[in-house]
Amino acid sequence: MSVTELFDHAKTTKRVDSITIRRPDDFHVHLRDGAMLEAVLPFTSSQFARGVIMPNLVPPVTSVAMAAAYRERILSARPEGSDFQPLMTCYLTDTTAPAEIEKGFRDGVWVAAKLYPAGATTNAHYGVTDIPARAPVFERMEKIGMPVLIHGESTDPAVDIFDREAAFMEQSLLPLLKRHAGLKVVIEHVTTAETADIVRAHAARAAGTITPHHLVINRTSIFQGGLRPHLYCLPVAKREHHRLALRKAATSGLPCFFIGTDTAPHRRTAKEAECCSAGIFGGATALQTYVQVFDEEGALDRFEAFASVNGARFYGLDLNCGTIVLERRESPVLAAVAVEDNEVVVFQGGQTLPWSVGAVTR
Ligand code: DOR
Ligand code: ZN
C-alpha cells in the first residue's frame, strides 16, 4: 500500500457510522400557535424530548395563565404517542412583576424568562426598553435561581446590524452580569467569537446556545448568487471567522454550550416579501446538521454532552431517559412543510444530507 492508501485506510477503519446518544433537548424553539404549531411541532417532537418554548407570540406570553394555556395547546398538538415536554418561558416587559415571575417558576409553569430588548426581533416590540430599570425582576430571579434567556442585540438603529450583538454585549450584557452577580444567564444564539469568549469567562453561571444554521452559514451565504431570504435570521450570520469560532465552541466539550436551534418558522410569503421576516426553520434538520458538524470537526464523542447533557445540567433538570440513534446514511430532506394554503421552507431542504436520524427509545 502507498502512504496515501494507508492513510485512507486508517481513516476509513476509524470512521464511525452511527452514534447512539441520550435523547437530546432543544433549549430554544419557536413553535408558534394554531395551524403553524400543528405543522411544525412534529419535527421538533420527533428529534427532542423537551423544548424550551419561546414566548414571542402575538400577544406575547407574559403571565402564568397565558403560559399554562399555551403549554396545554402544545401538548394537544403533539402527534399521537409523542411524549414531548414543552418547557415554558415568560416574556419580560417593562411591567413584569417580580411576584408573577416567581409564581410561575415555583408552580412549575415556566423554567425561565426571555429578555428581548424592545424591537430587537420578531414580535419583540413589547420587550424591555430599559434593562437596568428591571433590576427588581432580576434580583428576584437571582434569589430563586431562575435563568434569564437573552436575545443579545442592541436596538440602536445607528449600530450596524452586523455589530449589534457586540454592542449589546459591551453596553448591556457585561454590565448586567456585574450588577447581578448571582443571576443565571443564557446568551441565546451566540453568533460571534467574542460572545463565545464571554460565555466561557462567566461559565459558572452563564451559558450559550448555538443554532445549527450559525454553524453552517456565514454572512456571505445570505448573498450567494443573489439575496437568500430563507437564510435571514436575527442575530444575522456573521463573518467566516465567527462561524469557525462557533464550531470550536460547540464541539469544545465545555458544559457552557448546548443546543438551542432557534427554529423560527415563517410562511414562505412572509420570507419572500418586500420586508422579509427574520427566522430560519431549522427544526426538521437540526440533529442531522449538528451531528454533521461534530463529525466534520472530529468531535462525535462530544456530541452527547452538547445535545443531551449540558443544557439539562445548566437548567437543573434531570437528564432524559432513552436514546436516539444518528446514522451516517444519506437521506433527502423535504423542501418545505405545508401550513394551510402556504408553506414553510426547510433549512437545507431539498438537499441530501449525509447523516440521518434513526431509532428513538424511551
Ligand atoms: O430570526 C429570528 N427569528 N430571531 C429571533 O430572535 C426571533 C425569531 C422569530 O421568532 O421568528
Ligand atoms: Zn429565537
Side-chain angles (χ1 to χ4, degrees):
M1 266 193 222
S2 72
V3 175
T4 319
E5 283 168 338
L6 268 172
F7 189 65
D8 284 341
H9 179 69
K11 268 207 311 212
T12 49
T13 49
K14 269 189 4 207
R15 200 174 84 148
V16 174
D17 283 325
S18 127
I19 60 170
T20 301
I21 61 166
R22 189 183 284 278
R23 285 178 78 195
D25 300 309
D26 183 352
F27 285 91
H28 185 133
V29 42
H30 298 267
L31 290 179
R32 316 297 194 204
D33 216 341
M36 183 67 92
L37 168 64
E38 299 271 345
V40 300
L41 177 57
F43 296 97
T44 291
S45 67
S46 67
Q47 300 210 343
F48 298 100
R50 296 174 293 200
V52 169
I53 312 302
M54 291 300 122
N56 60 334
L57 303 182
V58 187
V61 180
T62 51
S63 69
V64 179
M66 289 170 100
Y70 184 29
R71 179 167 185 275
E72 287 307 313
R73 295 198 296 281
I74 295 170
L75 290 174
S76 340
R78 290 182 306 185
E80 185 79 34
S82 168
D83 64 348
F84 178 77
Q85 287 302 319
L87 304 172
M88 310 309 291
T89 59
C90 168
Y91 184 117
L92 292 181
T93 70
D94 284 345
T95 57
T96 306
E100 183 79 358
I101 285 282
E102 178 163 358
K103 184 176 179 343
F105 189 65
R106 293 227 188 269
D107 292 353
V109 174
W110 51 48
V111 297
K114 179 72 189 273
L115 168 57
Y116 289 106
T121 185
T122 308
N123 301 334
H125 39 283
Y126 299 98
V128 172
T129 58
D130 182 350
I131 295 174
R134 303 274 60 79
V137 167
F138 299 130
E139 277 161 19
R140 187 68 65 95
M141 293 176 72
E142 210 170 338
K143 200 166 134 210
I144 63 178
M146 176 175 167
V148 60
L149 318 181
I150 301 186
H151 183 109
E153 286 194 287
S154 167
T155 52
D156 179 350
V159 175
D160 187 281
I161 189 165
F162 294 101
D163 297 333
R164 286 185 186 170
E165 182 169 309
F168 183 89
M169 295 306 146
E170 291 304 320
Q171 292 160 15
S172 301
L173 192 273
L174 290 173
L176 177 75
L177 289 173
K178 228 181 218 158
R179 288 195 305 274
H180 300 279
L183 185 63
K184 285 174 80 170
V185 171
V186 182
I187 304 175
E188 299 293 339
H189 37 56
V190 174
T191 67
T192 75
E194 292 76 17
T195 305
D197 286 341
I198 290 172
V199 172
R200 285 189 197 89
H202 296 83
R205 46 86 172 231
T209 56
I210 302 180
T211 75
H213 43 278
H214 289 114
L215 295 170
V216 173
I217 63 166
N218 61 27
R219 70 187 204 174
T220 300
S221 314
I222 305 168
F223 305 98
Q224 204 69 60
L227 182 58
R228 301 194 172 262
H230 300 285
L231 298 184
Y232 171 59
C233 66
L234 289 171
V236 70
K238 306 297 192 296
R239 287 179 184 275
E240 176 65 359
H241 79 88
H242 293 295
R243 185 183 75 92
L244 297 177
L246 297 179
R247 288 170 79 103
K248 218 172 138 203
T251 59
S252 64
L254 289 173
C256 55
F257 296 108
F258 46 83
I259 286 185
T261 64
D262 197 14
T263 178
H266 290 275
R267 286 166 169 77
R268 183 189 280 279
T269 46
K271 296 292 290 176
E272 298 172 9
E274 173 82 18
C275 184
C276 161
S277 300
I280 292 177
F281 175 54
T285 49
L287 288 178
Q288 299 92 310
T289 307
Y290 281 125
V291 75
Q292 181 182 347
V293 169
F294 275 70
D295 181 31
E296 288 164 358
E297 298 293 323
L300 284 175
D301 56 326
R302 294 177 180 168
F303 187 53
E304 184 175 46
F306 178 74
S308 319
V309 177
N310 298 348
R313 292 244 161 92
F314 185 84
Y315 275 79
L317 302 168
D318 290 339
L319 300 185
N320 294 315
C321 297
T323 57
I324 189 165
V325 178
L326 299 159
E327 298 161 348
R328 191 191 302 277
R329 169 171 54 80
E330 286 193 346
S331 53
V333 175
L334 80 173
V337 175
V339 184
E340 295 174 317
D341 58 350
N342 216 305
E343 61 181 3
V344 176
V345 171
V346 173
F347 179 59
Q348 314 213 87
Q351 299 181 31
T352 296
L353 294 179
W355 285 80
S356 303
V357 175
V360 177
T361 64
R362 290 201 186 148

